[in-house]
Amino acid sequence: MHLRSLLSMPRMLRHGSSLGADLPPDEAVTVDAPDGPMADALAAVHAGDRGPAAALLAGTRERAEWERRSTYVTQLAAAALHSPGWLDDWLAESPEDPDAVLVKAELCVHQAWEIRSAARARDVAPEQFQAFFALLGDAVPVASAAARLNPTDPVPWQIALTHARGSQAPREVFDAYWAEAVARSPHHYGCHAAALQYLSEKWYGSHGEMFAFAERAAESALPGSKLHALPLLAAVEYVVVSDDPRQSPVERARIDAAVERGLELSTWYEPGDPDAADFRNHLVLMLILHERWAEALDVFRAIGVRARTYPWAYLGEPRTEFVELRSGVRMQLASRTPLFSRAGRAGGSGPGPGSAGSAGSAAVSGDARALSSPRSLAIAGAPPHEVAEAALMCGVSLRIAPAPPGMSYVELVPDPSPGRRAALARDDRLTAAADSFTTGEKWAALVLRRTGPRYGLTLLQKGRETAAHQWDPAAPVTDHAVAATTAQALAAAFSVRDARPLVTLLRGADSPARRQADLVAALGLPPLPAGFGEHDEVLRTVPGAQLLARRGVLRGIRDSLSTDLGTPAIPVPRPRRWWRLRVAALAVLVPASAYAWTTPDCYRATIPTLASLFLASQLRTAWRGRG
């Protein structure tokens, strides 16, 4: 560890829990979450009802809400990618419906890119390219039909611009598509973003051309228009995505100006606004790269729970990158806060983008509460006393209850002043605790969660996550291969011979509460306690539930060497052999001690006397704590 890191550690421990404490919890963060009406529509289409989706798209067409129409079409196409039955039925019934045909056109292009993947051309196999171009060819007549059926709609031309990028269309074809798009909506953000990709150096343009296009669009845009974010998108493409920016450098001033323009744009939108989430995710990444930690934390507040696939997919798994970098920003700010000062709301910064002092923070918190009410429960594959012994140093307070056969329920007990280790935990605290108390153990723990309408699970074995899944009514159906891998891990952990029923339960988002409960039953685990997901601390009324109070490291080490596991103590069953051996030893040692004290050499009595007292203390503690 570097000396600077070592010196900053006390500051991180002192201030890390307070800086950013108003941010929504990690488990509430979602990627590409739809807004309320579309979330309901997606849940309906997964249940086979296209009515709400059709009504939403018809409304955007009639009111000329092209930006919203673009977003809705993309989300519906993603939903149809793995479960297209509802869309096929819609087209069969209304083949000339401009909304259904538009979703089909987006789906065709989406399917092609799904096969190609987002990898660079050098990393794409020839057979992938062959299928990619074939599917793009199939998309042409569908996109043409969508443009014909609704001539004033710019969204088919946004799809055409994306198609031109994939099909390697020459510049004159791109220019023709672009002219059609801007003729219908000169300031359409989706069309501009699609054109920006075509003009980037990794495709068919250059860094200079990309920045010039983005800056021209931003300069001609009205105040508050999302077109002001185009230079920011160009900056991410240049700084994060390009192979070697030094080969065709862009002036640092243009990148700085893009970031400042993004900060100004963010003030036009309320915290948690889904329309601003796309550019705010790009903005916060650029602020992190510029080490502007306080401003980055304010933008994270403005984002709330609404992470986006891009730009985080450029770095790794989007949600993981978002959560880890958000935590990293908090720690960077904490390490720069004087040790004995009181950390402010933003580490010494003023009100951030999209906020008005504490009102902005309250709005973000309200957004998080509206989208999530996180509740979690763990089922551990060991009796309560073993779980308690393993959890002595996990850094949080737990309630542990017996669950037949020979297992335990575990829940987090709210703590008004959580310990530093709990505050710095990256995952939700019960998952982090399960990570700790399964380390070195042969048994597994299954953490079950409910966050609003989403239900999930995480399997932990030997201190690491081995499987995770989430049922989300607004998300596409889980891929079969992914579900099969998760099912096999769960089956292996809980000795289930046939994993196929588990795959069926994992592949579907309808009735997530029922699917979660059925999966628990299929694994042979005890049923979920009544009220789980609806109330906090559902184990409080379970017979035999005991509290394991949070401990510091030193006390945890001390208690791990004793049999007293808390207040009240977790009952530790003692086998008959344990009792017999100690009673027999005491029966021998007590007379030996008495005889030794009658001899002239009293020092000989010390060892048997101490041994007798130790055994008597053990028997007394075990008798008082017997379950």
Side-chain angles (χ1 to χ4, degrees):
M1 180 180 290
H2 296 292
L3 178 60
R4 182 176 178 180
S5 300
L6 184 63
L7 294 176
S8 65
M9 185 61 69
R11 297 180 180 184
M12 293 169 64
L13 292 173
R14 174 172 170 77
H15 301 305
S17 60
S18 56
L19 281 167
D22 56 336
L23 291 168
D26 291 354
E27 61 268 25
V29 173
T30 59
V31 177
D32 299 334
D35 61 19
M38 179 49 64
D40 295 338
L42 289 172
V45 298
H46 285 302
D49 179 11
R50 65 177 182 272
L56 277 181
L57 285 185
T60 62
R61 172 166 45 83
E62 294 162 3
R63 295 186 297 270
E65 295 175 341
W66 304 129
E67 297 288 3
R68 182 159 293 154
R69 183 174 178 82
S70 172
T71 300
Y72 286 172
V73 165
T74 300
Q75 291 170 336
L76 286 169
L81 187 63
H82 299 294
S83 55
W86 61 272
L87 180 58
D88 294 339
D89 294 342
W90 189 5
L91 287 166
E93 183 178 316
S94 307
E96 295 293 301
D97 188 313
D99 303 325
V101 175
L102 184 61
V103 175
K104 180 65 175 180
E106 175 68 16
L107 174 61
C108 290
V109 176
H110 199 143
Q111 286 172 324
W113 283 98
E114 187 80 3
I115 290 176
R116 183 201 182 279
S117 79
R120 294 296 181 92
R122 60 178 176 267
D123 300 321
V124 180
E127 55 271 18
Q128 286 178 273
F129 268 126
Q130 185 177 2
F132 174 61
F133 290 125
L135 287 171
L136 285 179
D138 295 340
V140 172
V142 186
S144 299
R148 173 180 56 80
L149 291 168
N150 193 17
T152 61
D153 188 353
V155 181
W157 299 102
Q158 176 185 339
I159 296 172
L161 290 167
T162 304
H163 185 279
R165 173 160 52 95
S167 61
Q168 302 176 359
R171 180 58 64 92
E172 55 268 22
V173 172
F174 167 81
D175 290 339
Y177 291 166
W178 175 244
E180 296 284 356
V182 295
R184 288 158 175 80
S185 182
H187 303 292
H188 188 269
Y189 175 75
C191 290
H192 279 78
L196 183 81
Q197 284 292 316
Y198 184 96
L199 296 172
S200 66
E201 188 177 64
K202 71 181 180 185
W203 290 106
Y204 311 111
S206 65
H207 294 320
E209 187 175 16
M210 173 181 67
F211 268 94
F213 170 81
E215 289 163 352
R216 282 196 307 271
E219 287 164 5
S220 63
L222 295 172
S225 168
K226 290 203 304 182
L227 292 186
H228 288 285
L230 285 178
L232 188 67
L233 271 61
V236 171
E237 287 290 330
Y238 174 74
V239 174
V240 179
V241 183
S242 59
D243 288 331
D244 189 357
R246 294 172 297 180
Q247 292 182 355
S248 51
V250 172
E251 298 88 342
R252 174 64 183 262
R254 299 177 81 173
I255 298 171
D256 292 342
V259 174
E260 295 303 325
R261 195 187 290 268
L263 285 168
E264 170 64 22
L265 177 61
S266 186
T267 64
W268 286 80
Y269 293 83
E270 290 296 321
D273 191 326
D275 289 337
D278 177 62
F279 74 80
R280 278 175 172 161
N281 276 262
H282 285 76
L283 174 60
V284 78
L285 176 58
M286 290 303 300
L287 290 170
I288 290 170
L289 294 176
H290 283 67
E291 299 186 2
R292 296 168 66 168
W293 310 115
E295 292 165 300
L297 187 61
D298 276 330
V299 176
F300 271 124
R301 287 191 178 95
I303 291 170
V305 298
R306 297 184 182 277
R308 292 292 184 254
T309 296
Y310 290 100
W312 310 111
Y314 293 138
L315 308 178
E317 197 281 318
R319 186 180 180 280
T320 300
E321 296 297 332
F322 179 93
V323 170
E324 287 187 346
L325 285 172
R326 189 178 69 164
S327 177
V329 167
R330 294 176 60 192
M331 293 307 104
Q332 288 287 350
L333 270 177
S335 69
R336 286 162 170 74
T337 303
L339 183 62
F340 296 107
S341 71
R342 179 171 296 178
R345 173 183 162 274
S349 75
S355 64
S358 61
S361 176
V364 176
S365 300
D367 176 59
R369 285 192 295 270
L371 290 175
S372 63
S373 178
R375 294 184 173 95
S376 54
L377 176 81
I379 300 178
H385 71 278
E386 288 189 25
V387 176
E389 289 175 349
L392 282 170
M393 292 186 289
C394 66
V396 293
S397 297
L398 301 173
R399 183 170 284 109
I400 305 173
M407 296 186 179
S408 302
Y409 297 120
V410 184
E411 70 178 2
L412 193 72
V413 177
D415 194 335
S417 56
R420 299 299 182 190
R421 286 177 295 150
L424 298 178
R426 179 178 62 82
D427 301 312
D428 67 277
R429 290 195 285 164
L430 183 58
T431 303
D435 184 301
S436 173
F437 65 64
T438 58
T439 300
E441 305 293 339
K442 296 180 179 179
W443 40 268
L446 185 68
V447 179
L448 303 159
R449 289 183 301 278
R450 178 188 178 186
T451 307
R454 300 181 300 278
Y455 287 68
L457 61 84
T458 301
L459 175 66
L460 295 120
Q461 294 176 284
K462 297 183 178 179
R464 64 186 183 90
E465 179 183 314
T466 57
H469 181 75
Q470 179 168 271
W471 292 275
D472 186 350
V477 175
T478 304
D479 182 76
H480 186 277
V482 174
T485 301
T486 303
Q488 289 167 3
L490 291 167
F494 296 105
S495 303
V496 175
R497 292 184 178 181
D498 188 0
R500 287 174 296 181
L502 306 181
V503 176
T504 302
L505 291 170
L506 294 170
R507 294 199 73 232
D510 60 301
S511 304
R514 176 182 57 80
R515 287 180 177 272
Q516 187 184 62
D518 289 350
L519 183 76
V520 169
L523 292 172
L525 301 178
L528 296 174
F532 170 59
E534 300 174 4
H535 309 289
D536 294 324
E537 298 188 76
V538 293
L539 298 184
R540 185 187 292 272
T541 58
V542 173
Q546 301 287 332
L547 175 66
L548 183 70
R550 173 171 61 87
R551 289 159 166 74
V553 175
L554 294 178
R555 186 183 170 192
I557 294 173
R558 186 198 69 190
D559 289 352
S560 67
L561 302 177
S562 72
T563 58
D564 184 7
L565 300 181
T567 305
I570 303 295
V572 180
R574 301 295 185 183
R576 291 183 179 180
R577 184 169 178 271
W578 186 92
W579 291 98
R580 289 170 180 167
L581 286 174
R582 280 154 181 77
V583 170
L586 200 60
V588 172
L589 287 172
V590 169
S593 300
Y595 173 76
W597 282 108
T598 63
T599 63
D601 187 4
C602 63
Y603 293 106
R604 295 172 58 186
T606 303
I607 293 178
T609 300
L610 291 176
S612 299
L613 292 173
F614 175 75
L615 288 174
S617 175
Q618 267 199 335
L619 289 167
R620 177 176 175 272
T621 301
W623 180 262
R624 293 177 62 184
R626 71 192 189 282

